[in-house]
Every structure is written in structure tokens, then in C-alpha cells.
Amino acid sequence: MSLPTSAPRTIEHLQKALRLPTQADAEALVKALPVEEAFRMYANRCLSAGSASEEALPDWKDVDAYLLEERMRKRVRLLGHLQTLEDVVAKEAFDRPYDRVRHASLFALRVMTFLKSDEGERYDVLPEKPRIKMAQDLAFDRAVRIMALLGYLVHRGRERRRELDRRRDEQMRKEGFV
């Protein structure tokens, strides 16, 4: 469970990974309020306090398997009219604050909801070739793209923290604290 080497490192790589037509679309997706909010929650629980394992990012297959398991649980099926899958995963994530699979799953659910909305559907670009034969293939493709987005956001956050730390250290040296 680490940041995949294939995780997009630049906005251009993110654009290609998500099959978006332009880099401006990739930038707009990253700045979309639902995406920012979903990542803020993930980062607060999984990337805070400079933990040694902050680079850890679950594989999309683990996230998909967890979501399928939760979807099939009796409490979700019986209480489907009372609780959504997102509600159940949110509670599980809240109860286990540093569990990256649950928090990545919650991020994925929130981004999926956004991608299915009128505002977000322009970012949900399907493959050009008809290699997707079943709805499950579409879900897998979407999960891979969402985890690429999360990987990019984690990388960007880490780079921003490094830059802030570098500036702070530089300022401290100038002021004679070091």
C-alpha cells in the first residue's frame, strides 16, 4: 500500500490518466468543491501529523473489494432505505480514523457521486474504444481513474508540504533560529 509509481505527478499526467480533453479540465476537476472536500477529509485523517506511512495509498482493487463487501452486507441491504452506502462507509471511516482503505473508499464514493452529477459528468470520460463490455468494467475503469486522482492529490499535497517546510527552514536560518 504505497503511492504507486504510476500515480500522476503533474497536471498533464493527470489529464492523460483521466482522459480529459485539456489540462484546464484537469485543473478544474482538482479545484471542484466536492473533490477538494473529499480530499480534505482523506488528508485530515490519513496524511496528518507527518506520519511515517503518509505515502501509503491503497490499491484500487482493495477499495473496490471493500465497497463491494459493504454493499453486500445485510445491514446496507436491509437498511438501504435508511442508510446509503456512503453513510455506512462514512461511519466506518469515522470509527477507524487512520484506515486508508476506508477513507480512500469514502473519497471514491464522494467523487463517484460528483462524477455522476450534472456538474461532474464532463469529467467522467469513458474509453474511446468499446472495450468496456459490462457495467462492472465501467465501474473498474472509474475506480482506477479515481485512485489516480487521489494519487495525484496526495503527491501534490506532499510536494506543497515540502515546499512550506523548506521556506520555513530558510526563514528560520535568516532569522538566526537555526
Side-chain angles (χ1 to χ4, degrees):
M1 283 188 11
S2 64
L3 191 62
T5 55
S6 62
R9 304 282 183 185
T10 66
I11 202 73
E12 181 182 4
H13 292 143
L14 180 64
Q15 174 212 347
K16 290 176 183 175
L18 302 180
R19 294 188 294 270
L20 296 171
T22 67
Q23 287 183 22
D25 288 330
E27 290 169 357
L29 174 61
V30 168
K31 292 177 183 175
L33 187 59
V35 172
E36 284 183 337
E37 182 64 16
F39 181 68
R40 183 189 63 77
M41 293 180 74
Y42 177 85
N44 283 347
R45 288 298 182 104
C46 297
L47 304 178
S48 61
S51 65
S53 61
E54 85 176 32
E55 294 183 20
L57 190 66
D59 187 81
W60 72 269
K61 293 174 188 173
D62 296 332
V63 170
D64 185 67
Y66 170 72
L67 289 175
L68 178 62
E69 179 183 321
E70 287 301 313
R71 190 176 289 121
M72 299 307 292
R73 283 197 163 179
K74 191 174 185 178
R75 65 186 169 145
V76 174
R77 286 186 287 153
L78 290 178
L79 300 175
H81 64 284
L82 300 175
Q83 286 185 303
T84 65
L85 178 60
E86 187 174 326
D87 294 337
V88 171
V89 172
K91 182 174 180 346
E92 288 274 324
F94 182 77
D95 291 345
R96 297 181 181 172
Y98 304 108
D99 187 320
R100 284 175 173 72
V101 171
R102 283 170 176 73
H103 285 281
S105 298
L106 185 57
F107 174 85
L109 283 172
R110 290 180 172 165
V111 172
M112 281 182 211
T113 300
F114 172 67
L115 292 176
K116 292 176 183 179
S117 72
D118 291 340
E119 180 187 356
E121 68 184 355
R122 73 182 202 159
Y123 305 111
D124 194 16
V125 181
L126 302 177
E128 289 181 22
K129 296 181 181 177
R131 60 174 207 197
I132 293 181
K133 296 176 176 62
M134 300 181 342
Q136 186 177 21
D137 292 338
L138 177 60
F140 288 159
D141 178 70
R142 188 176 284 131
V144 169
R145 288 183 287 129
I146 288 172
M147 292 307 291
L149 174 61
L150 180 57
Y152 170 78
L153 294 170
V154 167
H155 175 73
R156 184 185 72 170
R158 188 173 60 242
E159 291 300 313
R160 285 181 176 175
R161 273 192 313 282
R162 284 182 186 152
E163 180 61 22
L164 288 173
D165 289 346
R166 186 191 65 73
R167 287 181 185 175
R168 184 195 68 228
D169 292 346
E170 185 178 302
Q171 185 67 30
M172 288 177 73
R173 273 193 295 280
K174 284 181 182 177
E175 294 177 5
F177 290 115
V178 176

